Amino acid sequence: MSTQNKIALITGGSRGLGKNSAIALAKKGIDVVLTYNTNKEEADKVVSEIESLGRKAFALQLNTSDTKNFDDFINKVTAHLKEKTGSPNFDFLINNAGIGLYQPFEDVTEEQMDEIYNIHYKGVFFLTQKALPFLNTGGGIVNISSGLTRITMPGSSVYGSLKAAVETLTRYLAKELGPRKIRVNVVAPGAIETDFGGGRVKDNKELNAQIAGFTALGRVGLPDDIGGVVAFLCSDESYWINGQKIEVSGGQAL
Ligand code: NAP
């Protein structure tokens, strides 16, 4: 990676919205370090696609629920960057990785709560903390939340409320990191056709039609609807947007 290029680290870049965002970032001229949890093969394909766009990319394994490994992970990322660019630093962190949980409130178990908490809140919190010493002045953080913090759908009480916690965390980070000129924002996608939650929005025709029916633009989202917004928040054009949530849902349940 050459020093003049900005660099983004994105979690969960092997599939879905993370993959789309990684490619959109590359199209904006940003080099990308992406993580995968289990799908190395898919992550390698994303790396190749970014390289074919003329940008640099590198994929590393990371389980974002496993905070014990964060030091080791950050060491690997920064050692790689130091070797390739002469500096361990990077410019943007996109906290995207995640899984779904659809469980009626009465049936939620402590194990399920812990898993969602570890991935969607604790992991985001501590990965950001560990990444911070290496984030360049003038860089940014984008946290991926969900339309389910504003819209309620039965079965998403744990997921929706922990995503809401990330939105509040985002505002605190924007305030605390302001002196370092690091901007922190949230992208909250509506329901999007990915593998997320077992691919239920993509594969369950009834649910897909139901969501399309209460969406102003008349369909559910596609990965291409999201990546460009993440990339925009990592561009100079958005330099004055800070501490904000942008819902990207085509106008769901307005
Ligand atoms: P996806 O297609 O299922 O992809 C999930 C990505 O996260 C994959 O790259 C996966 O890695 C990674 N991942 C899963 N568990 C992980 C873990 N424990 N540690 C590290 N990485 C992990 O899902 P998506 O739709 O792109 O979702 C991305 C983000 O958008 C999530 O935060 C989700 O909550 C949010 N979101 C999604 C929707 C939607 O409708 N799709 C709507 C609103 C918000 P592997 O491929 O290696 O397993």
Side-chain angles (χ1 to χ4, degrees):
M1 295 182 186
S2 68
T3 40
Q4 67 270 27
N5 286 328
K6 297 271 170 85
I7 301 165
L9 168 60
I10 179 163
T11 63
S14 48
R15 290 183 291 121
L17 306 186
K19 170 183 174 178
N20 194 273
S21 300
I23 292 165
L25 286 160
K27 286 181 178 164
K28 282 245 181 230
I30 297 172
D31 293 331
V32 181
V33 178
L34 60 104
T35 76
Y36 59 93
N37 186 24
T38 55
N39 275 300
K40 182 176 185 325
E41 213 171 295
E42 292 303 312
D44 288 342
K45 283 190 210 156
V46 180
V47 167
S48 300
E49 199 168 334
I50 291 173
E51 286 172 348
S52 74
L53 293 166
R55 293 268 59 92
K56 305 280 188 337
F58 176 58
L60 267 177
Q61 199 276 336
L62 175 72
N63 179 347
T64 59
S65 70
D66 193 3
T67 50
K68 288 187 306 308
N69 283 329
F70 285 3
D71 283 326
D72 182 50
F73 170 73
I74 292 289
N75 284 341
K76 282 186 187 143
V77 171
T78 55
H80 173 82
L81 293 177
K82 182 124 177 64
E83 187 194 324
K84 299 289 176 187
T85 72
S87 161
N89 292 358
F90 51 98
D91 300 285
F92 303 105
L93 171 66
I94 295 109
N95 286 305
N96 164 79
I99 60 166
L101 172 68
Y102 307 97
Q103 188 77 295
F105 173 78
E106 293 91 325
D107 302 331
V108 172
T109 65
E110 277 194 49
E111 288 70 24
Q112 287 172 326
M113 160 83 84
D114 288 345
E115 186 179 30
I116 297 297
Y117 165 73
N118 287 336
I119 294 174
H120 284 287
Y121 188 79
K122 187 179 175 188
V124 170
F125 189 106
F126 286 106
L127 187 65
T128 303
Q129 189 190 69
K130 302 281 182 190
L132 215 46
F134 302 99
L135 265 190
N136 282 323
T137 302
I141 298 170
V142 180
N143 292 325
I144 305 302
S145 178
S146 166
L148 290 170
T149 61
R150 180 181 66 80
I151 307 162
T152 51
M153 289 189 81
S156 291
S157 61
V158 173
Y159 173 81
S161 52
L162 287 165
K163 286 291 202 189
V166 164
E167 293 181 3
T168 300
L169 173 66
T170 299
R171 295 177 55 248
Y172 274 90
L173 288 174
K175 188 84 169 176
E176 293 197 24
L177 305 185
R180 287 184 54 190
K181 308 290 179 242
I182 292 171
R183 300 181 295 112
V184 193
N185 292 293
V186 166
V187 169
I192 315 282
E193 289 188 5
T194 67
D195 300 336
F196 190 74
R200 69 204 289 267
V201 174
K202 178 163 54 85
D203 301 331
N204 181 334
K205 299 271 170 281
E206 211 173 295
L207 179 70
N208 189 299
Q210 187 200 341
I211 295 167
F214 64 70
T215 301
L217 294 182
R219 62 168 175 81
V220 303
L222 300 169
D224 272 346
D225 301 327
I226 303 300
V229 182
V230 172
F232 164 69
L233 287 172
C234 299
S235 71
D236 290 343
E237 289 94 326
S238 64
Y239 73 95
W240 205 236
I241 300 177
N242 194 18
Q244 301 304 305
K245 167 174 117 171
I246 304 179
E247 185 181 301
V248 189
S249 70
Q252 264 172 31
L254 291 176

